[in-house]
Each structure stands twice: as structure tokens, then as C-alpha cells.
Amino acid sequence: MRPTASRRFLLVPVLALAVSAVPSVAVAGGGRDAGGGTEGSSSGSAQDGVIRAETKVTTSVNGSSQRTTTGTLSPENSNWTPPACWYEPAFSPKEIEKTVKLWRSIDGLPFLSGIGDFVGDSLDAYYKDGDPYKNYNLDKEGKGMFWAAVKNPNRKDDPAANSCNKQPFWVDEGAVPDEPLALTPKVLAEYAYDELPVPDTEITMAPAGTTKVNLPTWVWLDKARFKKISVTASLPGTGLSATTTAEPVSLHIDPGTSDARTYPASGECGINADGSIGEPYEKGRANDTPPCGVTYLRASGSDGSYPLQATVTWQITWTSTTGEGGDLPDGTFGATQDVTVQEIQSVNR
């Protein structure tokens, strides 16, 4: 006897038990992507009663698939974060059928006798017996895909990653799913935001490391490192992609103490026409006011230092293959450098 719709509510705790005891159920094989018509592969697992997939979205940095290990932007808008999950085309009808059969195979494992059949029956009731799908939609093979929940690989531990909790649902090829969290160009752009490899914010100072009370310290950033960077996120086989671009626009200096004066007074150093920030110190200008810098008014004390924090603000925009685009929240990335401030020693004769 197949499970009724009401009995399927028992699926969540049973799957939670099963997932904790066995490896993820995974399938791989061919299938037509919803918008593309090319063969692809997918893998999926059941967690908390939901069959999920691993994202097939790929990214490239400035046109290259090679990644560099650098910092991750923090959105200035604290109420906004890149998406923790979304739905994307993942399973063909044959793959859904294979997933159900794989669940039945766990009955051979210790302590799990009967669970595989129970889960399989529950999934069959959903995908095979007409509530809401019949025979896994095998008659529609090649005419669409089951879209499944995926987690942003950078945010798997975010509780919001579990908010995509629908079972895989069918979408005809070329159709737009009626689902707010379905993959769109903007979702791709927001995912690319998480992948932007901004360079470390390590400023150059003169004097470097140790400075004197009331002596202007010059601060600048190399234009060769701080320049535009773009990440393109694409869904293979669909022609759908979005490019998110980060451009440095300013540097904020926090001296690490109230006993200091920043230049400009706001601590915000704008970007120059050539892409640099601040101005390198030149010999003979020790008493000049730097366009970007700080003067400490009190020594940091013996064996002590001030934690100067330098934070770069990046302006974020996006474009896509559909013509859509716009702005995303500015992002920041900073670093702290220890600055030792000493009293100027003088000799009275």
C-alpha cells in the first residue's frame, strides 16, 4: 500500500535518521537543461526530507576559471546578503526515478531495515503515483527538468540555506518557474558577489611600522593591485550568465585611537584618476600634509601599538546575457596593521 499524502509528513524525521546513517544518495547522468538542450549531469542528496542537488553554476574571474585566495567582501547594507540557496534545473525524469531506487537500496544496511522501502514508497507517491506527478514524468524526458533546491557553497552553514525546502518540481523546457527563489540572472549576479576575490587591504605607510608623535604618516594603495575585478557566474547549457564587477572607490582610515588626526578629516581617502589611493611619500616632504594619512598625537606606550584599520569600499554592479543588470550593495574589505608611535626625543644643551 502506498503512503497517503498525510503519511508523507512522517518522511522528514525518517529521512533525518536515514541521512545521519548513510552516505548521500547521489545520481549522475544525462538530461536536458531547462533552457538549453545540452546534456548535463547532476547529483543530489536527501536532507531533512528534501531531495537537494549540488549546484552546476560555474564561475570565472576576469574570464579565467582559476581562482586566487583573497578576501571576501562584506556588504555595507547589513540587511542584505548573497543568496544562501536557490532552485535550479537538476534532475531529468530518469534521474528522479534512479534516486528513488537508490533510497530503497539502504534497506540492506544495519539498523535501517524497512526505512528504504518507506522512503521509496513516499517518494513514489509523490513522483510516480500521480500526486502530483505520474510515472516520474518519463513521458516528458528531454522536454524539461525537475528543478531542485541547492545551497550556496559559500553559505552551507547559514540557517537560511535550509529555506529552499521544496521537493524537486517540474519545469517545461523554456518555461519560467513560478518560484521566487528560482535561479535568475540576478541570483547568478548575487552568487558571483560571494565569489569576488578582492585583494588584501595592506596599505603602504611612510614612516612604516613606527612613527613619531605629531609627525604626519603618509598612507597609499598601489593602483596595480586595486583595480576593477569581475566574476561571471554561468549555468552551463542554458546560455544564462551574469557578471558582477567590483570597483574600488575609497579607503577609510581608522587610526585605532581618538588621539589622532586623519587626512582628510573624515578619514575617507578617495580614488585618484589613475586608480591609486593616496600618494606615495617623497623625500623632503616629512612636514607636508599628506592627501591620505594620519598624525598621532600621543605615543602608543612602551611595547604597545595602535591598531590602524584600513578598509576599502568597493562599488558593485552587474550585467547579464539577458540584458538585465544594475547595482548591488557596496562591499567593504579591510585589514588591521599595528602602528607603534614614539615620542620625539630631543637633547637640551
Side-chain angles (χ1 to χ4, degrees):
M1 181 178 66
R2 297 292 187 193
T4 63
S6 61
R7 283 188 63 200
R8 287 206 303 273
F9 285 111
L10 297 174
L11 185 61
V12 173
V14 170
L15 279 180
L17 171 63
V19 169
S20 67
V22 299
S24 296
V25 173
V27 296
R32 294 175 67 87
D33 293 336
T38 62
E39 295 296 313
S41 63
S42 59
S43 61
S45 64
Q47 299 175 4
D48 301 327
V50 178
I51 298 176
R52 291 183 170 87
E54 296 176 3
T55 185
K56 292 186 288 184
V57 173
T58 61
T59 58
S60 61
V61 180
N62 292 341
S64 172
S65 60
Q66 294 183 346
R67 292 293 312 275
T68 55
T69 303
T70 55
T72 301
L73 288 174
S74 298
E76 280 196 331
N77 180 354
S78 59
N79 295 320
W80 183 90
T81 59
C85 68
W86 58 84
Y87 297 92
E88 67 180 60
F91 298 105
S92 69
K94 290 181 179 179
E95 289 171 338
I96 285 291
E97 180 184 32
K98 186 181 291 186
T99 300
V100 175
K101 290 180 178 179
L102 285 173
W103 266 111
R104 294 187 185 280
S105 69
I106 72 173
D107 272 347
L109 298 176
F111 310 112
L112 294 177
S113 178
I115 291 180
D117 278 341
F118 178 84
V119 174
D121 287 348
S122 298
L123 292 174
D124 271 345
Y126 190 77
Y127 289 107
K128 183 181 180 182
D129 299 337
D131 185 14
Y133 303 106
K134 186 175 181 180
N135 199 27
Y136 314 107
N137 272 11
L138 288 173
D139 60 328
K140 294 186 176 182
E141 184 75 29
K143 300 178 182 178
M145 293 284 284
F146 283 99
W147 285 47
V150 302
K151 295 184 179 182
N152 183 336
N154 299 310
R155 300 180 180 270
K156 287 184 176 180
D157 296 329
D158 186 336
N162 295 316
S163 61
C164 297
N165 54 12
K166 292 182 179 180
Q167 294 286 11
F169 53 87
W170 181 258
V171 179
D172 288 329
E173 185 171 352
V176 178
D178 184 19
E179 166 52 54
L181 294 177
L183 190 70
T184 62
K186 189 172 183 181
V187 170
L188 284 173
E190 292 173 340
Y191 172 52
Y193 189 112
D194 244 355
E195 297 282 301
L196 286 164
V198 295
D200 293 334
T201 307
E202 186 173 352
I203 59 175
T204 304
M205 295 184 293
T210 300
T211 187
K212 306 295 183 181
V213 172
N214 293 323
L215 177 67
T217 298
W218 293 57
V219 172
W220 67 94
L221 286 170
D222 186 357
K223 64 181 179 181
R225 294 187 67 220
F226 287 84
K227 53 188 177 182
K228 282 185 180 181
I229 190 165
S230 296
V231 169
T232 298
S234 307
L235 183 61
T238 66
L240 184 64
S241 68
T243 298
T244 300
T245 300
E247 181 179 7
V249 292
S250 66
L251 169 71
H252 180 78
I253 300 173
D254 182 344
T257 175
S258 59
D259 293 316
R261 182 186 304 119
T262 57
Y263 310 102
S266 63
E268 294 286 339
C269 302
I271 192 166
N272 301 320
D274 64 357
S276 63
I277 297 178
E279 184 179 329
Y281 171 77
E282 295 179 357
K283 189 175 180 179
R285 302 186 66 184
N287 293 319
D288 290 357
T289 299
C292 181
V294 59
T295 293
Y296 286 95
L297 308 178
R298 180 175 296 180
S300 55
S302 59
D303 301 324
S305 60
Y306 292 123
L308 183 148
Q309 186 170 27
T311 303
V312 173
T313 295
W314 298 76
Q315 188 176 66
I316 314 297
T317 58
W318 68 281
T319 58
S320 70
T321 49
T322 63
E324 298 173 78
D327 298 327
L328 291 174
D330 289 351
T332 61
F333 185 70
T336 299
Q337 295 174 227
D338 292 332
V339 180
T340 300
V341 182
Q342 300 174 339
E343 293 281 1
I344 298 176
Q345 301 295 323
S346 60
V347 179
N348 294 323
R349 295 184 181 274

